[in-house]
Each structure stands twice: as structure tokens, then as C-alpha cells.
């Protein structure tokens, strides 16, 4: 794929990052107390038994720690377009890869409907590099699907 001089300049841009987020840095994760939902905690726990009441996580700069096991992370963009969507995804991607190279990031296409419809893409180095510093939400799209029906939660 041929890119313009502007696209090449954008791709070369390196955003300023806090020390804990720089490539090669590590992050320390401390688990806190489990956090129930703000409202309707019992209903939400019944609908999402595997993900409700998860622990509060505190992130800080680490000292060379890596994750023993790779993790799988999903990202969904929802609502209107915004200029920094691709760099948010790039930050997530770079962060989980720096903790364990075997970690994977999955982008749900079209916002919440991608989750409901099981429509996703694995974000790889080559895929990510095509979108770095290009603004927008084009990589996986966005949506305003509301999760309201029992079938959607299943």
C-alpha cells in the first residue's frame, strides 16, 4: 500500500508517554477489593457472572516485571468519532505486548454490535502499524448499539 508524505510523517510521530507506558517499561498491577456494580448489583451479577464484582486494579511503574502468562484483551469503541481512537488502541496493544509478547488484543468491529455478533479482528503488529497516528476510529469502527435484550447478554 502506497502512503502519502503526510501519512508517512504521521506514522513516524512518537507521542509523549509517561515512563510507565514507554516501550520496554513495565507496569506493576496491584489487586484491590472486588467492586460491585453501582446499581442493580444482583441483577448485573446474574447477567454477567464471570465479569461482575471484579477487583479494583491499580497500575504503577514496575521494576522489570513481566506477566507470567499472556493475556487476551478486547477493545470496543462506542459513540461518536474521535481523533485519537487509533492511538488509544496502539497504547493498549503496545502495553500488553510489553508485559508478555504472547498477549493478544482483539478489536470488536462496529462497537458493541461486534461483541454481540462475535465480529472481531485480532490486532497484530502489521495491522496496528497501518493505523498508528492516523486518527479516527476506522480500524475497528464504532457504534451506538445498546445492550438491552436478554439475547444480547447471552
Amino acid at each position: 500500500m502506497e502512503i502519502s508524505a503526510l501519512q508517512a510523517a504521521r506514522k513516524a510521530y512518537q507521542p509523549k508517554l509517561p515512563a510507565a507506558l514507554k516501550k520496554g517499561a513495565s507496569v506493576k498491577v496491584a489487586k484491590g477489593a472486588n467492586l460491585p456494580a453501582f446499581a442493580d448489583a444482583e441483577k448485573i451479577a446474574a447477567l454477567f457472572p464471570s465479569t461482575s464484582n471484579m477487583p479494583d486494579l491499580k497500575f504503577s511503574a514496575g521494576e522489570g516485571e513481566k506477566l507470567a502468562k499472556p493475556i487476551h484483551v478486547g477493545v470496543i469503541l462506542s459513540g461518536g468519532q474521535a481523533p485519537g481512537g487509533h492511538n488509544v488502541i496502539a497504547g493498549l496493544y503496545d502495553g500488553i505486548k510489553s508485559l508478555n509478547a504472547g498477549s493478544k488484543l482483539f478489536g470488536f468491529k462496529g462497537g458493541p454490535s461486534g461483541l454481540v455478533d462475535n465480529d472481531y479482528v485480532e490486532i497484530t503488529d502489521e495491522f496496528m502499524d497501518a493505523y498508528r497516528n492516523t486518527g479516527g476510529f476506522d480500524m475497528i469502527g464504532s457504534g451506538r448499539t445498546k445492550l438491552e435484550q436478554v439475547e444480547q447478554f447471552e
Side-chain angles (χ1 to χ4, degrees):
M1 177 171 96
E2 196 172 320
I3 62 173
S4 71
L6 177 59
Q7 290 170 316
R10 284 183 176 163
K11 188 173 182 180
Y13 173 72
Q14 293 296 312
K16 294 179 178 108
L17 296 172
L21 298 179
K22 289 186 179 173
K23 197 165 190 158
S26 64
V27 177
K28 187 185 231 178
V29 181
K31 283 186 181 180
N34 286 1
L35 299 174
F38 293 110
D40 299 321
E42 290 175 8
K43 285 182 182 178
I44 291 172
L47 290 169
F48 300 101
S50 299
T51 57
S52 64
N53 298 317
M54 298 295 289
D56 181 25
L57 300 177
K58 303 283 185 196
F59 296 89
S60 60
E63 297 178 19
E65 299 96 346
K66 300 287 183 183
L67 292 174
K69 290 192 213 175
I71 59 174
H72 293 177
V73 177
V75 61
I76 297 171
L77 300 176
S78 181
Q81 297 286 316
H86 294 158
N87 278 7
V88 168
I89 295 171
L92 287 169
Y93 181 79
D94 294 343
I96 67 169
K97 289 293 189 176
S98 75
L99 295 173
N100 186 308
S103 293
K104 294 182 180 183
L105 182 64
F106 298 92
F108 289 92
K109 295 170 154 184
S113 64
L115 178 64
V116 172
D117 298 336
N118 202 30
D119 187 11
Y120 63 90
V121 62
E122 181 179 345
I123 298 172
T124 61
D125 287 341
E126 184 179 354
F127 186 82
M128 184 69 252
D129 287 344
Y131 289 95
R132 285 185 189 276
N133 300 318
T134 59
F137 282 21
D138 300 328
M139 181 191 308
I140 60 174
S142 179
R144 296 176 191 240
T145 300
K146 294 191 184 321
L147 303 178
E148 300 172 322
Q149 300 170 4
V150 173
E151 298 83 26
Q152 292 173 309
F153 291 105
E154 290 173 359

